Amino acid sequence: MQLQEYINRRLADGSITTDIGMIISHLADAAIAITQTIRVSGIEEDLGAETGAANADGDEQKALDVMAEEIIITHLKNTATSHILSEEQDAPIATGQDGKVMVAIDPLDGSSNIAVNVTVGTIFSLMPRQDAPVACAGRDQLAAGFFTYGPQTTLILAFASDSAPQCFVLDERNQQFIAMGGAVEIPPETNEYAINAAYSEHWFAPVQEWMGHVLAGHAGAYGKPYRMRWVGSMVADAWRIFQRGGVFLYPGDNRKGYADGRLRLVYEANPISFLVEKAGGMAINGCEDILDIQPQSLHQRTPVILGAKQEITRLKALHLNK
Ligand code: AHG
Ligand code: MN
Ligand code: MN
């Protein structure tokens, strides 16, 4: 089934509004344009080149960060999106549309991987329009999802009324997203984890203790061997977890400025945590569900510990007992 047919069926059964359906189909068109940009411009242009500017969170902006954001904003301006909350902008962009939906975006996740041809992506979160405009708690999102630009361009998407996310893959022969697989479910148990182990000296005690049990393998408290994957693009690690299970951790650590880790609540942690809970997994900042955090600012960070329920339950207990 093509994405537009999937959206039309959801409109027909009343499980999404016209505004939301239109925003999702325009985001999909933007992702197709970003795919083409990567496939073509990447030949003549260094999409990983630094622009010399930095975003509000201090990240060096790459050419593709800026290009992806421009493409998305252009596509969203034809929809009922009242505000765009972007990783690349200090403050929300008012579109001038009298819409009831705000869209938070990480236009290009995994920017450090652009120049080395490793999977990157776009993350999006649809929220009810609020004045100020301030992002809602993750649990109140209207829809969320992300695209990956890798060997394939893919989409994983969930609406508030869904009991599970749905995945799609772009058929580049006709530029159509096609539904793949059934309802996504994250198995409760896993032996695969994603964390940047280079920071282990900086982790706080609960993650140190958990890693100790994990690395002890058969002889450890969890009694089994694990394996590690770390892509450096959250969307790539998350996509793998939605396909074959696992856990992803970007915890806080004692590096200066990293007490709450590196990932941003509104446009990285919330949309992916929304999908994880819809898929039967858990997403915590250590002691509480990420989706229950009330955002205080657009670029605030949060520790992210998400995925297979059994493993996240262990990590939550270690944090609560500290
Ligand atoms: P972004 O490129 O949007 O800044 O996000 C990159 C994030 C996330 O995608 C990834 O998991 C993490 O940064 C990697 O961080 P390290 O380089 O510290 O491992
Ligand atoms: Mn990101
Ligand atoms: Mn980004």
Side-chain angles (χ1 to χ4, degrees):
M1 180 189 307
Q2 292 188 0
L3 176 61
Q4 195 53 53
E5 170 61 19
Y6 180 80
I7 291 171
N8 293 343
R9 290 191 184 190
R10 307 306 299 276
L11 290 168
D13 70 18
S15 57
I16 62 170
T17 64
T18 311
D19 290 351
I20 288 175
M22 185 187 290
I23 290 168
I24 297 300
S25 57
H26 279 71
L27 283 170
D29 291 344
I32 292 170
I34 293 168
T35 299
Q36 291 163 347
T37 298
I38 291 170
R39 297 273 184 277
V40 173
S41 312
I43 310 291
E44 285 106 36
E45 224 179 303
D46 174 4
L47 300 180
E50 292 185 2
T51 63
N55 65 18
D57 201 29
D59 298 340
E60 285 289 345
Q61 280 183 326
K62 309 290 192 315
L64 191 56
D65 283 321
V66 176
M67 294 162 89
E69 184 189 54
E70 282 169 3
I71 290 169
I72 295 164
I73 290 173
T74 303
H75 281 78
L76 285 179
K77 281 206 163 138
N78 307 326
T79 68
T81 302
S82 65
H83 294 83
I84 299 169
L85 289 69
S86 169
E87 177 190 35
E88 305 306 328
Q89 300 295 325
D90 293 355
I93 300 167
T95 64
Q97 297 285 346
D98 185 22
K100 300 187 188 64
V101 181
M102 304 195 305
V103 180
I105 52 169
D106 178 355
L108 209 287
D109 177 64
S111 305
S112 64
N113 283 323
I114 299 168
V116 292
N117 194 33
V118 171
T119 296
V120 293
T122 295
I123 309 171
F124 59 88
S125 164
L126 276 60
M127 298 174 284
R129 174 176 183 164
Q130 293 192 116
D131 294 328
V134 176
C136 66
R139 207 165 291 289
D140 300 329
Q141 292 173 92
L142 301 169
F146 63 84
F147 299 93
T148 67
Y149 312 115
Q152 294 175 314
T153 286
T154 66
L155 163 63
I156 180 168
L157 165 67
F159 298 112
S161 54
D162 282 338
S163 54
Q166 175 64 48
C167 294
F168 299 82
V169 59
L170 179 65
D171 182 340
E172 293 194 36
R173 294 166 300 184
N174 59 12
Q175 299 299 315
Q176 292 292 338
F177 279 99
I178 311 296
M180 55 183 275
V184 176
E185 198 176 336
I186 297 174
E189 297 189 29
T190 187
N191 66 348
E192 189 163 74
Y193 65 95
I195 194 166
N196 188 332
Y199 306 141
S200 56
E201 65 175 309
H202 302 294
W203 295 332
F204 301 129
V207 173
Q208 294 279 8
E209 184 170 344
W210 178 79
M211 278 302 284
H213 295 318
V214 165
L215 294 174
H218 285 295
Y222 303 155
K224 62 183 181 184
Y226 286 70
R227 63 170 176 264
M228 192 190 105
R229 294 287 184 275
W230 183 253
V231 181
S233 294
M234 187 181 187
V235 289
D237 285 312
W239 178 262
R240 185 188 58 252
I241 290 169
F242 288 115
Q243 303 310 308
R244 71 184 192 207
V247 290
F248 171 97
L249 296 86
Y250 205 121
D253 65 51
N254 66 18
R255 289 177 291 164
K256 186 171 179 305
Y258 279 78
D260 284 327
R262 166 189 165 79
L263 300 172
R264 284 53 61 110
L265 174 64
V266 171
Y267 42 79
E268 290 173 313
N270 269 344
I272 294 181
S273 299
F274 184 82
L275 296 165
V276 166
E277 285 205 5
K278 289 286 184 190
M282 283 173 70
I284 61 175
N285 64 357
C287 295
E288 61 172 331
D289 290 349
I290 286 172
L291 294 182
D292 291 333
I293 300 171
Q294 186 57 49
Q296 300 303 315
S297 66
L298 174 53
H299 300 291
Q300 76 182 67
R301 298 185 182 196
T302 177
V304 177
I305 299 173
L306 58 76
K309 195 163 226 168
Q310 178 191 61
E311 220 58 57
I312 306 303
T313 301
R314 286 171 171 158
L315 276 149
K316 185 170 183 177
L318 288 167
H319 281 84
L320 291 172
N321 297 336
K322 280 298 163 223

